[in-house]
Amino acid sequence: MTMPVQGVQHGIAPPTLWICEHCDTVFRRRVLACGEVARCARCDAILARHHRVGVRGMLALVLTAMIAFIQGNIWPIVTLGLNGHLISTTLWGCIVMMWNEHAQVVSVIAAMTLFFIPIFKMGLLGWVLLYARKGERAPGFRLAMVTLHRIGPWTMSEVFVLGTLVAIVKAHMYFDVVPNAGIFAYGVLMLIITAFASIDVRELWDLTEERRA
Amino acid sequence: MSGLPRAGDLGLIGCHVCGMVCRDVPGHDVGCPRCGSALHNRKAASYTRCWALLIAAFFFYIPANVLPIMRTVSVGDVDDNTILSGVIELWVKGSPDLAVIVFTASIVVPVLKFFALGLLLISSQRGSGWARRQRAKLYRLVEFIGYWSMLDVFVVALLTALVQFGFFSQVEPLPGVVFFGLTVVITMLASMTFDPRLIWDGRDFDD
Protein backbone atom coordinates (compact mmCIF):
# COMPACT_ATOMS: atom_id res chain seq x y z
CA MET A 1 0.00 0.00 0.00
CA THR A 2 1.45 3.36 -0.95
CA MET A 3 0.57 6.59 0.72
CA PRO A 4 0.39 9.89 -1.13
CA VAL A 5 2.76 11.78 1.09
CA GLN A 6 5.05 13.35 -1.50
CA GLY A 7 4.77 16.88 -2.78
CA VAL A 8 3.73 18.51 0.47
CA GLN A 9 5.33 21.35 2.30
CA HIS A 10 7.97 20.43 4.80
CA GLY A 11 6.70 19.37 8.20
CA ILE A 12 3.07 19.11 7.22
CA ALA A 13 1.59 16.00 5.70
CA PRO A 14 -1.70 16.35 3.83
CA PRO A 15 -4.93 16.14 5.84
CA THR A 16 -5.87 13.09 3.81
CA LEU A 17 -4.74 10.66 6.46
CA TRP A 18 -5.85 9.36 9.81
CA ILE A 19 -3.37 7.99 12.29
CA CYS A 20 -4.88 5.67 14.87
CA GLU A 21 -4.06 7.08 18.30
CA HIS A 22 -4.05 3.66 19.87
CA CYS A 23 -1.73 1.74 17.56
CA ASP A 24 -0.17 4.25 15.13
CA THR A 25 -1.63 2.68 12.00
CA VAL A 26 -2.06 5.04 9.04
CA PHE A 27 -5.28 5.15 7.04
CA ARG A 28 -6.45 7.14 4.09
CA ARG A 29 -9.31 9.41 5.07
CA ARG A 30 -12.70 9.16 3.48
CA VAL A 31 -15.96 10.99 3.93
CA LEU A 32 -18.24 9.22 6.37
CA ALA A 33 -21.92 8.67 5.72
CA CYS A 34 -24.49 9.81 8.27
CA GLY A 35 -24.07 7.92 11.53
CA GLU A 36 -21.06 6.00 10.25
CA VAL A 37 -18.11 5.19 12.52
CA ALA A 38 -14.62 4.54 11.13
CA ARG A 39 -12.70 1.98 13.18
CA CYS A 40 -9.07 0.99 13.07
CA ALA A 41 -8.59 -2.30 11.21
CA ARG A 42 -5.72 -3.25 13.50
CA CYS A 43 -6.86 -2.42 17.02
CA ASP A 44 -10.55 -1.60 16.53
CA ALA A 45 -10.31 1.86 18.13
CA ILE A 46 -12.56 4.59 16.75
CA LEU A 47 -10.75 6.72 14.17
CA ALA A 48 -13.59 9.13 13.48
CA ARG A 49 -17.32 9.22 13.46
CA HIS A 50 -19.90 11.18 11.60
CA HIS A 51 -21.60 13.62 13.93
CA ARG A 52 -25.31 14.14 13.59
CA VAL A 53 -24.93 17.19 15.79
CA GLY A 54 -23.33 20.09 13.96
CA VAL A 55 -21.49 23.04 15.43
CA ARG A 56 -24.75 24.89 16.15
CA GLY A 57 -26.12 21.80 17.85
CA MET A 58 -22.99 21.51 19.98
CA LEU A 59 -23.27 25.16 21.00
CA ALA A 60 -26.89 24.59 21.98
CA LEU A 61 -25.84 21.58 24.08
CA VAL A 62 -23.11 23.55 25.82
CA LEU A 63 -25.46 26.43 26.62
CA THR A 64 -28.04 24.00 28.00
CA ALA A 65 -25.34 22.33 30.07
CA MET A 66 -24.34 25.73 31.48
CA ILE A 67 -27.92 26.50 32.51
CA ALA A 68 -28.31 23.06 34.09
CA PHE A 69 -24.99 23.48 35.88
CA ILE A 70 -25.96 26.86 37.32
CA GLN A 71 -29.33 25.50 38.47
CA GLY A 72 -27.64 22.45 39.95
CA ASN A 73 -25.35 24.67 41.97
CA ILE A 74 -27.72 27.32 43.28
CA TRP A 75 -30.48 25.02 44.49
CA PRO A 76 -30.01 22.47 47.26
CA ILE A 77 -29.41 18.91 46.09
CA VAL A 78 -31.05 16.93 48.88
CA THR A 79 -32.83 17.71 52.14
CA LEU A 80 -32.70 15.40 55.15
CA GLY A 81 -35.22 15.46 57.96
CA LEU A 82 -34.99 14.10 61.54
CA ASN A 83 -37.53 14.88 64.23
CA GLY A 84 -38.66 17.97 62.38
CA HIS A 85 -35.13 19.27 61.82
CA LEU A 86 -34.33 19.85 58.17
CA ILE A 87 -30.84 20.03 56.67
CA SER A 88 -30.12 20.55 53.00
CA THR A 89 -26.90 21.00 51.09
CA THR A 90 -25.50 22.16 47.79
CA LEU A 91 -22.35 20.98 46.05
CA TRP A 92 -20.40 23.82 47.68
CA GLY A 93 -21.84 22.83 51.04
CA CYS A 94 -20.19 19.42 50.59
CA ILE A 95 -16.89 20.95 49.51
CA VAL A 96 -16.75 23.38 52.46
CA MET A 97 -17.82 20.71 54.92
CA MET A 98 -15.10 18.28 53.79
CA TRP A 99 -12.53 21.05 54.18
CA ASN A 100 -13.68 21.80 57.72
CA GLU A 101 -13.76 18.12 58.66
CA HIS A 102 -10.03 17.71 57.91
CA ALA A 103 -10.45 16.01 54.56
CA GLN A 104 -8.97 18.88 52.56
CA VAL A 105 -7.61 16.57 49.87
CA VAL A 106 -11.11 15.29 49.14
CA SER A 107 -12.42 18.83 49.25
CA VAL A 108 -9.91 19.96 46.62
CA ILE A 109 -10.57 16.92 44.39
CA ALA A 110 -14.32 17.59 44.56
CA ALA A 111 -13.94 21.32 43.92
CA MET A 112 -11.75 20.70 40.89
CA THR A 113 -13.59 17.79 39.26
CA LEU A 114 -17.14 18.93 40.05
CA PHE A 115 -16.89 22.72 39.91
CA PHE A 116 -13.84 24.48 38.47
CA ILE A 117 -12.88 22.15 35.63
CA PRO A 118 -16.49 21.67 34.42
CA ILE A 119 -17.02 25.46 34.40
CA PHE A 120 -13.75 26.00 32.61
CA LYS A 121 -14.55 23.31 30.07
CA MET A 122 -18.02 24.66 29.30
CA GLY A 123 -16.67 28.21 29.06
CA LEU A 124 -13.89 27.27 26.65
CA LEU A 125 -16.16 25.09 24.53
CA GLY A 126 -18.80 27.82 24.36
CA TRP A 127 -16.21 30.41 23.35
CA VAL A 128 -14.71 28.24 20.62
CA LEU A 129 -18.09 27.12 19.28
CA LEU A 130 -19.46 30.65 19.20
CA TYR A 131 -16.92 31.50 16.51
CA ALA A 132 -16.89 28.07 14.88
CA ARG A 133 -20.51 28.64 13.83
CA LYS A 134 -19.18 30.99 11.18
CA GLY A 135 -16.28 28.70 10.34
CA GLU A 136 -13.89 31.02 12.17
CA ARG A 137 -11.31 30.39 14.84
CA ALA A 138 -11.96 32.30 18.03
CA PRO A 139 -9.22 34.50 19.50
CA GLY A 140 -7.06 32.13 21.55
CA PHE A 141 -8.47 29.12 19.66
CA ARG A 142 -5.21 27.23 19.79
CA LEU A 143 -4.73 27.64 23.53
CA ALA A 144 -8.39 26.86 24.21
CA MET A 145 -8.28 23.63 22.19
CA VAL A 146 -5.02 22.48 23.78
CA THR A 147 -6.41 23.22 27.26
CA LEU A 148 -9.65 21.38 26.47
CA HIS A 149 -7.62 18.35 25.48
CA ARG A 150 -5.56 18.46 28.68
CA ILE A 151 -8.47 18.85 31.12
CA GLY A 152 -10.65 16.40 29.17
CA PRO A 153 -10.84 13.46 31.59
CA TRP A 154 -10.99 15.47 34.81
CA THR A 155 -14.70 16.21 35.05
CA MET A 156 -16.81 13.91 37.19
CA SER A 157 -20.30 15.42 37.32
CA GLU A 158 -21.92 12.18 36.19
CA VAL A 159 -20.20 10.26 38.99
CA PHE A 160 -21.55 12.84 41.42
CA VAL A 161 -25.13 12.16 40.23
CA LEU A 162 -24.73 8.45 40.92
CA GLY A 163 -23.06 9.29 44.24
CA THR A 164 -26.06 11.39 45.23
CA LEU A 165 -28.35 8.49 44.42
CA VAL A 166 -26.31 6.17 46.66
CA ALA A 167 -26.21 8.79 49.45
CA ILE A 168 -30.00 9.21 49.23
CA VAL A 169 -30.57 5.48 49.57
CA LYS A 170 -28.12 5.23 52.47
CA ALA A 171 -29.65 8.20 54.30
CA HIS A 172 -33.16 6.90 53.65
CA MET A 173 -32.50 4.06 56.11
CA TYR A 174 -32.47 6.56 58.99
CA PHE A 175 -33.92 9.86 57.82
CA ASP A 176 -36.65 11.44 55.72
CA VAL A 177 -35.11 12.32 52.39
CA VAL A 178 -36.41 14.89 49.92
CA PRO A 179 -34.55 15.24 46.62
CA ASN A 180 -34.39 18.92 45.61
CA ALA A 181 -34.18 20.86 42.36
CA GLY A 182 -30.37 20.68 42.31
CA ILE A 183 -30.23 16.96 41.70
CA PHE A 184 -32.75 17.15 38.85
CA ALA A 185 -30.64 19.84 37.20
CA TYR A 186 -27.65 17.54 37.62
CA GLY A 187 -29.66 14.73 36.05
CA VAL A 188 -30.17 16.93 32.96
CA LEU A 189 -26.46 17.75 32.96
CA MET A 190 -25.67 14.04 33.04
CA LEU A 191 -27.83 13.46 29.95
CA ILE A 192 -26.06 16.25 28.07
CA ILE A 193 -22.63 14.92 29.04
CA THR A 194 -23.67 11.50 27.72
CA ALA A 195 -24.86 13.07 24.45
CA PHE A 196 -21.56 14.93 24.20
CA ALA A 197 -19.43 11.87 24.99
CA SER A 198 -19.39 10.65 21.38
CA ILE A 199 -18.41 14.05 19.97
CA ASP A 200 -14.77 14.61 19.18
CA VAL A 201 -14.25 18.36 19.54
CA ARG A 202 -10.93 18.06 17.73
CA GLU A 203 -12.95 18.06 14.53
CA LEU A 204 -13.17 21.82 15.04
CA TRP A 205 -9.57 22.01 13.86
CA ASP A 206 -10.71 20.83 10.45
CA LEU A 207 -14.01 22.70 10.42
CA THR A 208 -12.56 26.13 11.07
CA GLU A 209 -9.99 28.23 9.30
CA GLU A 210 -7.51 30.78 10.49
CA ARG A 211 -8.78 34.26 9.77
CA ARG A 212 -6.65 36.08 7.25
CA ALA A 213 -6.22 39.68 8.25
CA MET B 1 3.84 -9.16 8.50
CA SER B 2 0.73 -7.11 8.42
CA GLY B 3 -0.16 -5.02 5.39
CA LEU B 4 -1.23 -2.04 7.45
CA PRO B 5 1.43 0.70 7.48
CA ARG B 6 2.33 2.37 10.76
CA ALA B 7 3.11 6.04 11.13
CA GLY B 8 6.68 5.41 12.30
CA ASP B 9 7.48 3.38 9.15
CA LEU B 10 6.20 6.16 6.90
CA GLY B 11 8.05 8.93 8.74
CA LEU B 12 4.84 10.43 10.09
CA ILE B 13 3.70 11.50 13.55
CA GLY B 14 0.13 11.99 14.64
CA CYS B 15 -0.30 14.93 17.02
CA HIS B 16 -1.71 13.76 20.38
CA VAL B 17 -3.52 16.97 21.01
CA CYS B 18 -5.17 17.95 17.73
CA GLY B 19 -4.87 14.78 15.63
CA MET B 20 -2.90 16.44 12.85
CA VAL B 21 -0.70 14.21 10.71
CA CYS B 22 2.83 15.62 10.63
CA ARG B 23 6.13 14.70 9.00
CA ASP B 24 8.68 13.36 11.43
CA VAL B 25 11.97 15.23 11.27
CA PRO B 26 14.50 12.86 12.89
CA GLY B 27 16.84 14.46 15.37
CA HIS B 28 14.64 17.51 15.88
CA ASP B 29 12.14 18.15 18.61
CA VAL B 30 9.41 19.61 16.53
CA GLY B 31 6.14 21.11 17.63
CA CYS B 32 2.85 20.45 15.89
CA PRO B 33 2.48 23.16 13.22
CA ARG B 34 -1.22 23.45 13.94
CA CYS B 35 -1.57 23.44 17.74
CA GLY B 36 2.02 23.98 18.89
CA SER B 37 2.15 20.93 21.18
CA ALA B 38 5.31 18.87 21.31
CA LEU B 39 5.27 15.88 18.99
CA HIS B 40 6.37 12.47 20.23
CA ASN B 41 6.53 9.14 18.52
CA ARG B 42 5.58 7.61 21.84
CA LYS B 43 4.67 9.17 25.16
CA ALA B 44 7.88 10.07 27.01
CA ALA B 45 9.17 7.47 29.49
CA SER B 46 5.82 5.73 29.41
CA TYR B 47 6.93 2.50 31.13
CA THR B 48 8.82 4.16 33.96
CA ARG B 49 6.15 6.73 34.75
CA CYS B 50 3.29 4.28 34.50
CA TRP B 51 5.02 1.75 36.78
CA ALA B 52 5.89 4.45 39.31
CA LEU B 53 2.35 5.78 39.44
CA LEU B 54 0.84 2.31 39.56
CA ILE B 55 3.03 1.29 42.50
CA ALA B 56 2.32 4.58 44.29
CA ALA B 57 -1.41 4.06 43.76
CA PHE B 58 -1.15 0.56 45.17
CA PHE B 59 0.49 1.88 48.35
CA PHE B 60 -2.38 4.31 48.80
CA TYR B 61 -4.93 1.63 48.02
CA ILE B 62 -4.03 -0.49 51.06
CA PRO B 63 -4.88 2.15 53.72
CA ALA B 64 -7.85 3.19 51.57
CA ASN B 65 -9.36 -0.24 52.18
CA VAL B 66 -8.08 -1.01 55.66
CA LEU B 67 -8.84 2.35 57.28
CA PRO B 68 -12.43 3.39 57.81
CA ILE B 69 -13.73 6.02 55.39
CA MET B 70 -16.68 7.33 57.39
CA ARG B 71 -17.84 7.62 61.02
CA THR B 72 -21.51 7.62 61.90
CA VAL B 73 -22.42 8.88 65.37
CA SER B 74 -26.00 8.42 66.47
CA VAL B 75 -27.14 9.12 70.02
CA GLY B 76 -23.68 8.36 71.41
CA ASP B 77 -23.32 5.25 69.28
CA VAL B 78 -20.15 5.34 67.15
CA ASP B 79 -19.94 3.26 63.99
CA ASP B 80 -16.91 3.32 61.66
CA ASN B 81 -17.34 2.07 58.12
CA THR B 82 -14.73 0.87 55.64
CA ILE B 83 -15.50 0.71 51.93
CA LEU B 84 -16.35 -2.96 52.14
CA SER B 85 -18.51 -2.68 55.26
CA GLY B 86 -20.39 0.16 53.58
CA VAL B 87 -21.20 -2.12 50.66
CA ILE B 88 -22.32 -4.87 53.03
CA GLU B 89 -24.53 -2.46 54.94
CA LEU B 90 -26.16 -1.32 51.71
CA TRP B 91 -26.73 -4.97 50.72
CA VAL B 92 -28.20 -6.04 54.06
CA LYS B 93 -30.36 -3.01 54.67
CA GLY B 94 -32.33 -3.01 51.53
CA SER B 95 -30.64 -2.16 48.23
CA PRO B 96 -28.63 -5.06 46.87
CA ASP B 97 -28.74 -3.52 43.39
CA LEU B 98 -27.07 -0.31 44.56
CA ALA B 99 -24.64 -2.38 46.65
CA VAL B 100 -23.55 -4.10 43.43
CA ILE B 101 -22.96 -0.71 41.75
CA VAL B 102 -20.90 0.58 44.68
CA PHE B 103 -18.97 -2.69 44.92
CA THR B 104 -18.16 -2.48 41.21
CA ALA B 105 -17.09 1.16 41.35
CA SER B 106 -15.09 1.00 44.57
CA ILE B 107 -13.57 -2.46 44.55
CA VAL B 108 -13.83 -4.19 41.17
CA VAL B 109 -12.73 -1.16 39.10
CA PRO B 110 -9.57 -0.28 41.11
CA VAL B 111 -8.48 -3.92 41.36
CA LEU B 112 -9.15 -4.40 37.64
CA LYS B 113 -7.05 -1.32 36.94
CA PHE B 114 -4.07 -2.64 38.90
CA PHE B 115 -4.22 -6.02 37.16
CA ALA B 116 -4.94 -4.64 33.72
CA LEU B 117 -2.23 -1.96 33.75
CA GLY B 118 0.26 -4.42 35.29
CA LEU B 119 -0.55 -6.95 32.58
CA LEU B 120 -0.32 -4.34 29.81
CA LEU B 121 3.02 -3.06 31.10
CA ILE B 122 4.62 -6.48 31.48
CA SER B 123 3.36 -7.89 28.18
CA SER B 124 4.31 -4.74 26.23
CA GLN B 125 7.75 -4.54 27.80
CA ARG B 126 8.38 -8.13 26.73
CA GLY B 127 7.21 -7.29 23.22
CA SER B 128 4.60 -10.00 23.45
CA GLY B 129 2.39 -10.63 20.44
CA TRP B 130 -0.22 -12.35 22.56
CA ALA B 131 -3.83 -11.12 22.25
CA ARG B 132 -2.86 -7.66 21.05
CA ARG B 133 -6.33 -6.66 19.96
CA GLN B 134 -7.83 -7.74 23.27
CA ARG B 135 -5.12 -5.92 25.21
CA ALA B 136 -5.83 -2.77 23.21
CA LYS B 137 -9.50 -3.09 24.15
CA LEU B 138 -8.62 -3.73 27.78
CA TYR B 139 -6.68 -0.46 27.85
CA ARG B 140 -9.61 1.48 26.43
CA LEU B 141 -11.89 -0.12 29.02
CA VAL B 142 -9.55 0.91 31.85
CA GLU B 143 -9.45 4.48 30.56
CA PHE B 144 -13.22 4.62 30.20
CA ILE B 145 -14.24 3.27 33.61
CA GLY B 146 -11.41 4.68 35.74
CA TYR B 147 -13.03 7.80 37.14
CA TRP B 148 -16.22 6.06 38.30
CA SER B 149 -14.29 4.86 41.35
CA MET B 150 -14.68 8.34 42.78
CA LEU B 151 -18.29 7.35 43.59
CA ASP B 152 -17.71 6.44 47.24
CA VAL B 153 -15.73 9.61 47.90
CA PHE B 154 -18.66 11.75 46.75
CA VAL B 155 -21.08 9.66 48.81
CA VAL B 156 -19.05 10.34 51.95
CA ALA B 157 -18.84 14.07 51.11
CA LEU B 158 -22.61 14.33 50.66
CA LEU B 159 -23.45 12.38 53.80
CA THR B 160 -20.99 14.46 55.83
CA ALA B 161 -22.64 17.67 54.66
CA LEU B 162 -26.17 16.35 55.17
CA VAL B 163 -26.11 14.36 58.38
CA GLN B 164 -25.40 17.13 60.88
CA PHE B 165 -28.04 16.64 63.57
CA GLY B 166 -25.61 17.21 66.44
CA PHE B 167 -26.05 14.74 69.26
CA PHE B 168 -28.75 12.73 67.48
CA SER B 169 -26.85 11.92 64.36
CA GLN B 170 -23.65 12.98 62.69
CA VAL B 171 -21.34 11.78 59.93
CA GLU B 172 -17.61 12.53 59.73
CA PRO B 173 -15.09 11.61 57.06
CA LEU B 174 -12.17 9.44 58.21
CA PRO B 175 -8.66 9.15 56.67
CA GLY B 176 -9.57 6.15 54.48
CA VAL B 177 -11.55 8.38 52.17
CA VAL B 178 -8.55 10.67 51.58
CA PHE B 179 -6.38 7.68 50.62
CA PHE B 180 -9.12 6.37 48.40
CA GLY B 181 -9.53 9.70 46.58
CA LEU B 182 -5.77 9.83 46.01
CA THR B 183 -5.74 6.23 44.73
CA VAL B 184 -8.33 7.10 42.11
CA VAL B 185 -6.48 10.22 40.97
CA ILE B 186 -3.13 8.41 40.77
CA THR B 187 -4.52 5.41 38.89
CA MET B 188 -6.10 7.83 36.41
CA LEU B 189 -2.70 9.46 35.92
CA ALA B 190 -1.13 6.02 35.53
CA SER B 191 -3.50 4.97 32.77
CA MET B 192 -2.94 8.30 31.01
CA THR B 193 0.84 7.87 30.97
CA PHE B 194 0.61 4.40 29.43
CA ASP B 195 1.02 4.58 25.66
CA PRO B 196 -1.28 2.00 24.01
CA ARG B 197 0.87 2.05 20.87
CA LEU B 198 3.51 0.17 22.84
CA ILE B 199 1.22 -2.86 22.72
CA TRP B 200 1.88 -3.02 18.98
CA ASP B 201 5.58 -2.27 19.06
CA GLY B 202 6.83 -5.82 19.71
CA ARG B 203 9.26 -7.68 17.47
CA ASP B 204 6.95 -10.33 16.09
CA PHE B 205 4.20 -8.85 14.00
CA ASP B 206 1.83 -11.63 13.15
CA ASP B 207 -1.62 -10.17 13.63
Side-chain angles (χ1 to χ4, degrees), chain A residues 90-131:
Chain A
T90 58
L91 170 64
W92 266 100
C94 298
I95 293 169
V96 171
M97 189 57 101
M98 286 309 264
W99 184 275
N100 293 337
E101 293 278 346
H102 312 291
Q104 288 91 343
V105 174
V106 173
S107 174
V108 169
I109 292 175
M112 293 309 287
T113 59
L114 300 176
F115 191 80
F116 291 112
I117 298 180
I119 282 190
F120 202 46
K121 197 171 179 177
M122 287 184 289
L124 287 175
L125 264 175
W127 174 250
V128 166
L129 287 169
L130 207 59
Y131 283 83

Side-chain angles (χ1 to χ4, degrees), chain A residues 7 25 39 42 45 51 77-78 86 92 96 115 139 143 156 186:
Chain A
T25 306
R39 284 179 177 276
R42 176 170 277 142
H51 295 155
I77 295 166
V78 202
L86 293 177
W92 266 100
V96 171
F115 191 80
L143 186 62
M156 302 189 182
Y186 262 98

Side-chain angles (χ1 to χ4, degrees), chain B residues 58-109:
Chain B
F58 187 70
F59 278 112
F60 281 114
Y61 189 59
I62 295 167
N65 276 280
V66 176
L67 296 177
I69 58 167
M70 184 172 88
R71 167 168 292 168
T72 317
V73 186
S74 102
V75 204
D77 211 21
V78 177
D79 185 19
D80 288 357
N81 264 305
T82 60
I83 288 170
L84 196 59
S85 73
V87 172
I88 292 166
E89 192 195 17
L90 212 51
W91 179 281
V92 173
K93 293 196 177 160
S95 345
D97 35 4
L98 220 48
V100 170
I101 293 178
V102 177
F103 182 77
T104 309
S106 308
I107 296 177
V108 176
V109 170

